[in-house]
Amino acid sequence: MYNKNIILTALIACTTLIIGYIGITIHRRQSGHTSTPAHYSLKTLATHNNIIPLAIIGSGPAGLSAALYGARGKIHTIVFEGKQPGGQLTTTSYVENWPGISKTLGTDIIKGLRKQAQECGALCVPETIKQVNFSSWPFVLTLEDKSTVHAATVVIATGATPKKLGVPGEQEYWGKGVTTCAICDAPFFKNNNVIVVGGGDSAIEEALQLAPYVKQATIFVRSSQMRASAAMQEHLKDAANINIRYNVKITAIKGDDKFVHSVDIEENGTASTMPIDGVFLAIGHEPNTTLFTPYIAVDTNGYITLSTATQATSIPGIFAAGDVADHRYRQAGVASGDGIKAALDASEFLRALGYNADFEKEYLNKFYTPLSLNTKKLQKIGTNDEFTKEVTESPLPVVLDFYTDYCPSCLQMLPTVEAIAQELEGKIKFLKVNALEFNELAEKLEVPTVPTLVVMSKGAIVGRTHDVMNKQELLHFVNQFIQA
Ligand code: NDP
């Protein structure tokens, strides 16, 4: 009996210990980090300037959802919007699977998320992070102008970038008939014949966006079947001017220097040339991890590896969310959920360090304050009289920013253009022109795509670009037209 009691007590003790151990392990996994390294301390953080408690790199659904939860959790949150504010969702048209809304524009989802995050106190800055140093803490992020900020936690939400074909002529004719954005450029291909390359949902979506404008959109699928979902393929039945060709690949893109006019193809092994007015690529994506791979673990496809239960990466205090860490689902809703989880993980991480309102109050003067937040809006011109007055008669060179309302690259460039316009006030003038509303001017100045920047001096065109540029690149481009 005595022995039985001892055995029973020992069993209960062991079970309690095991349950306790499992409990701690689960808790640690759920808290988003296995432990807080000893050298992470708020005292150390406070010795630095330009502090950011929660820095979010990227502003798609993952980044903005993280910002919403971070800011709402009363954590000072900064979003570096990057080269493509709003991310890939701004390059899609209608979204029919955003939970709770039957049909909405991708750009509207982003606008709503951004507004909501800002209303909660998140600061969205039109800056791109050029370099990171994750080898010490706080983490150092370097901005385009080479200034640095010190982040206590980071959420990487840099998404993925559309893949290119890598065939001759692709780079040469990029923006001159070769593009990945039907929603931006479809109106410029009225009554034209275009090709969409790819066999996934994106290819179908691009073709559907083009259909109302073009004469014929032909989808080139490289194999004998499409990968697109049945639901998306069903939509094709309603579009009489979309056709599909299988087992066909482009081997070269050709043009007359100004614009694409044909493609060399191989169809079922036979080579030929096909006259064409535009090529839209929709062949998948690559994760944007180049900045981080010296520090962070990635999988064999280059996607950031996460802990099983959280958004924690291989470095404590750094979390990842959205397509940069997800090659499986790649859905806006999933990215948003990831962002929420990442912000909750980061918040918990900060709280474990002792971060609270008192710390913010005491060291507020050490926090990073973005310079580019209060920029002036660009003046818009829409008539010939305005063009004459503001451009032809202007003593300063003028940069005309051609845009359309639903062009994501235009939306992404605008804050950068506005920031530079303010910086260079008195040296060069910036104006914006809606290329569809003031189509007469777009045609007169031969604007084939948006965004396009046309630089004019004394009524003559002196430069143009349709590249999407970051702040430094744009400054470099514009500076060449400023008289010394
Ligand atoms: P996918 O990876 O699904 O498809 C890429 C397609 O491009 C495949 O058909 C692939 O061919 C083809 N491809 C790849 N490389 C080449 C090449 N060099 N030449 C020719 N063809 C090539 O990417 P998507 O962007 O279409 O979709 C990504 C994710 O986003 C998916 O999960 C999709 O469901 C989702 N999505 C959802 C939408 C919606 O619901 N409205 C809209 C758009 C995307 P192969 O099949 O032979 O590999």
Side-chain angles (χ1 to χ4, degrees):
M1 186 65 188
Y2 177 74
N3 278 348
K4 260 191 183 172
N5 271 345
I6 289 179
I7 289 165
L8 199 64
T9 313
L11 264 176
I12 289 169
C14 280
T15 314
T16 311
L17 273 174
I18 289 165
I19 289 172
Y21 174 75
I22 291 171
I24 288 165
T25 310
I26 288 172
H27 174 75
R28 284 185 157 185
R29 279 184 165 221
Q30 285 173 346
S31 71
H33 56 94
T34 43
S35 59
T36 308
H39 62 288
Y40 289 33
S41 100
L42 288 185
K43 271 192 188 148
T44 312
L45 185 63
T47 61
H48 293 272
N49 285 320
N50 284 344
I51 298 171
I52 305 178
L54 172 55
I56 297 169
I57 310 178
S59 56
L64 292 174
S65 302
L68 168 65
Y69 271 69
R72 203 160 180 269
K74 297 279 171 256
I75 287 167
H76 196 86
T77 302
I78 306 265
V79 184
F80 293 101
E81 294 187 293
K83 227 177 162 182
Q84 191 181 354
Q88 291 175 67
L89 202 55
T90 56
T91 63
T92 191
S93 58
Y94 286 105
V95 176
E96 294 174 348
N97 51 9
W98 181 257
I101 307 177
S102 311
K103 189 174 180 177
T104 185
L105 285 169
T107 43
D108 285 347
I109 293 176
I110 290 297
K111 274 187 209 159
L113 276 174
R114 193 170 188 268
K115 186 165 174 277
Q116 198 180 3
Q118 286 175 321
E119 280 168 2
C120 287
L123 299 178
C124 299
V125 292
E127 294 277 358
T128 304
I129 299 299
K130 299 303 286 181
Q131 210 182 331
V132 297
N133 184 349
F134 292 165
S135 60
S136 57
W137 189 90
F139 308 113
V140 182
L141 312 181
T142 306
L143 279 62
E144 287 170 63
D145 62 2
K146 298 197 168 55
S147 60
T148 51
V149 295
H150 296 95
T153 60
V154 176
V155 171
I156 300 172
T158 45
T161 299
K163 281 188 196 161
K164 292 187 179 171
L165 290 170
V167 298
E170 182 182 46
Q171 205 49 42
E172 191 182 344
Y173 289 103
W174 197 259
K176 298 175 185 171
V178 184
T179 169
T180 53
C181 184
I183 191 171
C184 310
D185 294 340
F188 298 108
F189 290 84
K190 275 186 199 137
N191 298 319
N192 285 171
N193 291 310
V194 299
I195 295 168
V196 177
V197 187
D201 285 345
S202 301
I204 294 188
E205 195 166 277
E206 294 273 295
L208 291 170
Q209 282 159 6
L210 288 160
Y213 295 94
V214 299
K215 191 166 159 196
Q216 180 79 52
T218 305
I219 302 177
F220 275 14
V221 183
R222 68 174 171 183
S223 64
S224 58
Q225 60 181 26
M226 292 197 101
R227 184 196 289 219
S229 62
M232 286 298 280
Q233 293 196 46
E234 191 66 26
H235 286 306
L236 287 179
K237 290 188 179 145
D238 305 326
N241 61 345
I242 299 177
N243 72 337
I244 306 172
R245 280 159 70 168
Y246 294 94
N247 298 310
V248 52
K249 64 176 187 185
I250 292 178
T251 52
I253 298 174
K254 294 177 169 171
D256 60 3
D257 288 343
K258 276 191 163 178
F259 219 78
V260 158
H261 62 42
S262 61
V263 287
D264 286 349
I265 59 172
E266 230 177 77
E267 192 162 15
N268 293 308
T270 308
S272 65
T273 298
M274 178 178 170
I276 204 74
D277 303 306
V279 180
F280 289 78
L281 304 182
I283 58 171
H285 294 86
E286 270 164 15
N288 297 323
T289 50
T290 318
L291 283 184
F292 317 113
T293 41
Y295 308 98
I296 296 268
V298 294
D299 67 15
T300 47
N301 295 310
Y303 290 81
I304 294 176
T305 340
L306 299 175
S307 85
T308 41
T310 72
Q311 301 302 122
T313 68
S314 52
I315 298 181
I318 298 187
F319 307 87
D323 285 12
V324 75
D326 168 24
H327 70 277
R328 183 179 165 86
Y329 301 105
R330 292 177 294 181
Q331 298 296 306
V334 176
S336 175
D338 282 356
I340 292 169
K341 284 159 62 186
L344 293 174
D345 291 342
S347 308
E348 193 179 336
F349 193 92
L350 285 165
R351 305 267 179 242
L353 287 178
Y355 183 88
N356 56 25
D358 291 341
F359 178 84
E360 280 199 4
K361 216 165 136 191
E362 190 172 349
Y363 294 105
L364 202 57
N365 62 336
K366 296 203 152 229
F367 279 34
Y368 169 64
T369 317
L371 293 172
S372 47
L373 278 182
N374 299 314
T375 48
K376 267 199 282 181
K377 299 281 163 245
L378 289 195
Q379 184 189 340
K380 179 178 165 184
I381 57 163
T383 65
N384 285 322
D385 285 350
E386 284 171 339
F387 177 72
T388 307
K389 182 168 170 264
E390 299 295 340
V391 183
T392 318
E393 294 172 358
S394 167
L396 292 176
V398 182
V399 181
L400 294 168
D401 177 7
F402 282 88
Y403 73 100
T404 62
D405 284 338
Y406 292 105
C407 154
S409 311
C410 305
L411 294 178
Q412 85 197 40
M413 280 281 282
L414 190 60
T416 310
V417 176
E418 282 173 343
I420 287 179
Q422 182 146 321
E423 235 170 278
L424 299 179
E425 204 171 2
K427 294 182 180 165
I428 191 163
K429 182 155 76 173
F430 283 76
L431 299 168
K432 60 179 182 178
V433 185
N434 186 315
L436 293 181
E437 287 172 8
F438 197 4
N439 190 243
E440 191 188 335
L441 184 63
E443 280 185 4
K444 187 171 140 193
L445 301 184
E446 295 182 345
V447 172
T449 182
V450 283
T452 291
L453 298 182
V454 177
V455 189
M456 301 195 70
S457 179
K458 300 185 181 87
I461 297 177
V462 291
R464 68 167 68 227
T465 178
H466 46 250
D467 292 344
V468 176
M469 290 182 267
N470 64 31
K471 205 170 154 197
Q472 288 311 309
E473 290 163 345
L474 186 57
L475 258 177
H476 181 73
F477 171 75
V478 170
N479 268 328
Q480 57 184 321
F481 305 106
I482 296 176
Q483 283 113 21

